């Protein structure tokens, strides 16, 4: 069975910067952003998820982000590449490209125009697993993909697919995480992908927190994780209460849009999101500026 690298803690999701005309990836700004995240002390980097606008990239741009991110990280922390696509064939292409570049794992979200059956989902992951030799993090986020993978299915795929070794659960349902833990006898690591749920999820045994928040405020995220690991619930609660307005805002306003606006407000602008996404409205920018001033 393929074993996962030591992936734990704060798994940071960088945005994808574009050039001023929006025509291509700005590799210089991407490199600077990724390097700053690693230097901040996060435990892993996960490019090309929802935050990275992967749905709006060409295949050449996807490859550019992979190469740039893996190169800049340079094995200092694990890199988990989001390799999801509508088709199994292109998901395999992306997963193989990530592996060849030196990624430590891939994250796969089942995306489909048609609702997929459990048999089709299992076949999708099985084909990807057979095509690569690095671990897969199964990503369950029905709010974006329209496909909801039950804990029973996830645990069954963990048993059936050698290199499916992790689950990112983003429904915001703590009961699902506990059910994964129960069904797998604690053998299947789960990661929290719901920002508002982070304190409860980490306290319940989540191996890590997958989040875009470190783009803007890495230290409180790290402090929260450390407080939970120490068993200091009071300190963890205090940190969470301070961080919660930012977590709620970046989720409700759309991660690429709000994080890119926040980086600009912090003097580290990386350009605007790619159409059809739009920049943050002026009134919302004011709200975000006030939030950043208090976190």
């Amino acid at each position: 069975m393929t074993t996962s690298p030591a992936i734990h803690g704060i798994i940071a999701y960088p945005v994808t910067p574009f050039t001023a005309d929006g025509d291509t990836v700005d590799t210089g700004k991407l490199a600077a952003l990724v390097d700053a995240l690693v230097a901040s002390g996060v435990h892993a980097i996960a490019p090309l998820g929802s935050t990275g606008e992967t749905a709006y990239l060409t295949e050449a741009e996807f490859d550019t982000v992979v190469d740039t991110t893996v190169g800049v990280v340079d094995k200092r922390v694990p890199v988990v590449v989001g390799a999801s696509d509508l088709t199994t064939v292109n998901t395999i292409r992306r997963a193989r490209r990530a592996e060849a570049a030196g990624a430590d794992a891939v994250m796969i979200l089942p995306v489909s125009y048609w609702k997929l059956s459990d048999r089709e989902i299992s076949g999708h992951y099985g084909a990807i697993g057979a095509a690569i030799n690095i671990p897969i993090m199964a990503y369950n986020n029905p709010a974006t993909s329209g496909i909801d993978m039950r804990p029973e299915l996830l645990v069954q795929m963990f048993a059936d697919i050698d290199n499916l070794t992790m689950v990112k659960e983003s429904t915001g349902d703590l009961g699902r995480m506990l059910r994964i833990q129960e069904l797998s006898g604690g053998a299947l690591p789960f990661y929290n992908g719901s920002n508002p749920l982070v304190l409860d999820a980490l306290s319940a045994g989540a191996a890590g927190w997958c989040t875009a928040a470190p783009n803007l405020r890495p230290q409180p995220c790290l402090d929260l994780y450390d407080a939970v690991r120490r068993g200091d619930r009071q300190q963890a609660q205090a940190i969470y209460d301070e961080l919660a307005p930012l977590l709620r805002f970046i989720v409700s306003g759309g991660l690429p849009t709000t994080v890119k606006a926040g980086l600009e407000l912090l003097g580290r602008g990386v350009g605007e999101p790619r159409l059809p996404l739009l920049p943050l409205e002026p009134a919302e920018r004011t709200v975000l500026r006030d939030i950043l001033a208090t976190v």
Side-chain angles (χ1 to χ4, degrees):
M1 175 175 289
T2 301
T3 57
S4 301
I7 298 175
H8 67 92
I10 304 303
I11 303 170
Y13 283 69
V15 293
T16 299
F18 298 110
T19 54
D21 56 15
D23 283 347
T24 190
V25 174
D26 188 323
T27 54
K29 289 182 178 178
L30 175 60
L33 177 62
V34 170
D35 190 56
L37 284 169
V38 175
S40 75
V42 299
H43 304 98
I45 300 291
L48 296 165
S50 304
T51 304
E53 299 178 72
T54 186
Y56 307 124
L57 301 182
T58 66
E59 292 306 295
E61 288 173 332
F62 175 94
D63 294 350
T64 295
V65 173
V66 170
D67 291 342
T68 302
T69 303
V70 173
V72 169
V73 172
D74 194 24
K75 297 297 182 183
R76 289 178 287 171
V77 296
V79 175
V80 183
V81 171
S84 309
D85 190 68
L86 275 169
T87 68
T88 302
V89 168
N90 203 49
T91 304
I92 288 173
R93 191 210 75 82
R94 290 181 166 192
R96 283 176 168 164
R97 187 67 179 71
E99 181 178 21
D104 297 280
V106 291
M107 181 180 66
I108 304 295
L109 175 76
V111 185
S112 185
Y113 179 86
W114 300 104
K115 182 178 179 180
L116 301 179
S117 67
D118 284 0
R119 183 171 66 92
E120 289 167 328
I121 294 169
S122 296
H124 180 65
Y125 278 99
I128 298 161
I132 59 175
N133 295 302
I134 57 175
I136 296 170
M137 177 186 286
Y139 177 17
N140 188 45
N141 190 353
T144 57
S145 71
I147 296 171
D148 190 4
M149 296 186 288
R150 300 170 297 108
E152 290 78 6
L153 174 62
L154 290 165
V155 173
Q156 186 60 55
M157 291 195 299
F158 171 63
D160 294 341
I161 303 168
D162 282 351
N163 50 348
L164 195 156
T165 61
M166 303 169 277
V167 170
K168 176 186 173 185
E169 173 57 59
S170 295
T171 59
D173 182 352
L174 183 63
R176 286 172 174 258
M177 297 183 187
L178 297 176
R179 182 64 172 157
I180 289 168
Q181 198 171 43
E182 175 190 359
L183 289 171
S184 70
L188 175 54
F190 64 91
Y191 298 76
N192 174 59
S194 170
N195 282 318
L197 189 66
V198 57
L199 179 55
D200 289 339
L202 290 174
S203 299
W209 174 22
C210 304
T211 177
N215 288 282
L216 305 178
R217 287 291 185 257
Q219 195 58 53
C221 300
L222 293 162
D223 292 344
L224 175 58
Y225 177 69
D226 289 341
V228 172
R229 291 192 75 186
R230 292 195 310 270
D232 190 342
R233 177 73 188 204
Q234 183 175 357
Q235 179 65 13
Q237 185 69 58
I239 296 168
Y240 174 77
D241 290 344
E242 184 176 272
L243 193 55
L246 177 62
L247 300 180
R248 288 194 294 266
F249 185 90
I250 63 175
V251 171
S252 65
L255 291 171
T257 296
T258 54
V259 171
K260 286 186 172 182
L263 286 167
E264 184 178 352
L265 290 169
L266 293 171
R268 296 187 284 124
V270 294
E272 296 181 351
R274 178 167 278 180
L275 294 172
L277 301 181
L278 293 173
L280 202 61
E281 294 278 8
E284 294 173 318
R285 286 171 58 87
T286 300
V287 173
L288 180 56
R289 180 184 291 110
D290 292 343
I291 292 172
L292 289 171
T294 63
V295 178

